[in-house]
Amino acid sequence: MRLLLPASVSEARECLARGAVPIGGATLVWAAWQQDGFPELAVSLRHVPEANVVSPESLGSAVILGQIDDRVPGVLRRAAGTVGTGAVRRTATVGGNIVGSSLRCLLPAALALDARATVLEPDGVFRTDLAEVVAKRKVLLSLEWRKPVADGYRKLPAEAGGPPPFVVAVAVHAGEDGHGRRLRVAVRDGYEVHCADVPCGTDAERVLAAVETQVADGLAPAAREAVREQVTEVQARSGRS
Ligand SMILES: Cc1cc2nc3c(=O)[nH]c(=O)nc-3n(C[C@H](O)[C@H](O)[C@H](O)COP(=O)(O)OP(=O)(O)OC[C@H]3O[C@@H](n4cnc5c(N)ncnc54)[C@H](O)[C@@H]3O)c2cc1C
């Protein structure tokens, strides 16, 4: 396998045109490739400036989870801080987590932020939504969002070997003209991620109902309580901002 290290978006596109497979920190692919065989070409975006941005309104796909700090909203920072072990967080990347892992702890946080994705294709750079990135395994370059008024994240404890821990991410967004704030809530229940977008001020029970219309079997009592708490707490904080 040859690892290509482009230094610009146009070089990265050329690598994709040559059939190179994206690689992040290799925390997942290495074992799979050892078993199934290595691709001829792999491409890492770690030297592409746009894939390394960390700011209040954007995050590059090559950023290592352990490097996500208070430059980004707390909801994303806390999501990254709860992924796996310290060793995983020192190596795994945003792109590998959102596109390449089955748990995707960053995805509910990015959905609560209403993040848009910039993806790379051999013939150009495109903006799209996260659902398409995940469903079609697009090559993620970066995420962009508008800074929220307030946000929150909670991951419930889970038993080893059991289903993935329940995650709830919440963000309050300013309206276009300073009015009409919106509340976005994203949950991971099992391996499924669901999202609701409601007017801010909607009481926690209605938010729960909006989320639960998308969850097949409803939420477990502890999960419902976590959503209720986060929604109430983030809305209260947003009222003070
Ligand atoms: C012990 C352990 C515990 C873990 N616990 C958690 C957890 O609690 N929560 C959680 O969410 N995850 C967890 N993970 C998964 C972890 O987040 C992934 O290992 C990691 O996100 C993969 O990142 P990576 O950069 O190493 O990806 P790689 O292993 O390099 O790649 C994984 C896949 O992503 C693709 N990929 C990489 N970058 C991009 C990109 N920019 N665009 C498109 N596709 C890309 C690759 O082609 C490959 O298919 C755990 C993993 C381990 C090993």
Side-chain angles (χ1 to χ4, degrees), residues 103-220:
L103 286 176
R104 306 194 159 98
C105 276
L106 294 193
L107 183 61
L111 286 169
L113 288 173
D114 205 9
R116 298 273 295 163
T118 301
V119 297
L120 270 181
E121 295 196 355
D123 55 343
V125 173
F126 302 95
R127 298 293 295 282
T128 187
D129 58 42
L130 287 165
E132 173 155 303
V133 172
V134 170
K136 298 187 179 164
R137 293 184 69 104
K138 298 281 185 188
V139 179
L140 184 66
L141 179 64
S142 58
L143 299 171
E144 291 84 30
W145 60 85
R146 281 175 52 218
K147 194 175 168 189
V149 178
D151 56 76
Y153 182 89
R154 186 150 172 229
K155 188 183 207 178
L156 295 185
E159 284 175 28
F166 178 80
V167 161
V168 53
V170 180
V172 168
H173 298 268
E176 290 297 321
D177 52 0
H179 298 288
R181 285 183 174 186
R182 311 277 314 168
L183 177 81
R184 282 180 68 87
V185 182
V187 303
R188 184 187 70 204
D189 188 38
Y191 288 96
E192 298 291 321
V193 176
H194 307 280
C195 191
D197 185 323
V198 295
C200 198
T202 306
D203 72 49
E205 290 307 319
R206 285 187 185 209
V207 176
L208 268 166
V211 173
E212 288 201 308
T213 54
Q214 300 188 40
V215 182
D217 299 321
L219 296 175

Side-chain angles (χ1 to χ4, degrees), residues 38-163:
F38 285 78
E40 212 169 295
L41 292 176
V43 55
S44 162
L45 303 179
R46 81 172 81 128
H47 295 326
V48 176
E50 290 86 342
N52 282 286
V53 66
V54 184
S55 86
E57 299 197 333
S58 57
L59 183 63
S61 66
V63 173
I64 290 168
L65 301 184
Q67 292 173 343
I68 298 178
D69 57 21
D70 59 9
R71 286 170 287 178
V72 304
V75 63
L76 260 181
R77 193 173 65 247
R78 281 198 287 279
T82 65
V83 169
T85 59
V88 170
R89 293 194 295 275
R90 280 192 289 278
T91 316
T93 62
V94 170
N97 185 269
I98 289 187
V99 189
S101 85
S102 53
L103 286 176
R104 306 194 159 98
C105 276
L106 294 193
L107 183 61
L111 286 169
L113 288 173
D114 205 9
R116 298 273 295 163
T118 301
V119 297
L120 270 181
E121 295 196 355
D123 55 343
V125 173
F126 302 95
R127 298 293 295 282
T128 187
D129 58 42
L130 287 165
E132 173 155 303
V133 172
V134 170
K136 298 187 179 164
R137 293 184 69 104
K138 298 281 185 188
V139 179
L140 184 66
L141 179 64
S142 58
L143 299 171
E144 291 84 30
W145 60 85
R146 281 175 52 218
K147 194 175 168 189
V149 178
D151 56 76
Y153 182 89
R154 186 150 172 229
K155 188 183 207 178
L156 295 185
E159 284 175 28

Side-chain angles (χ1 to χ4, degrees), residues 227-239:
V227 174
R228 192 180 283 117
E229 271 176 25
Q230 281 298 309
V231 165
T232 307
E233 200 246 316
V234 172
Q235 292 212 96
R237 267 195 286 122
S238 75

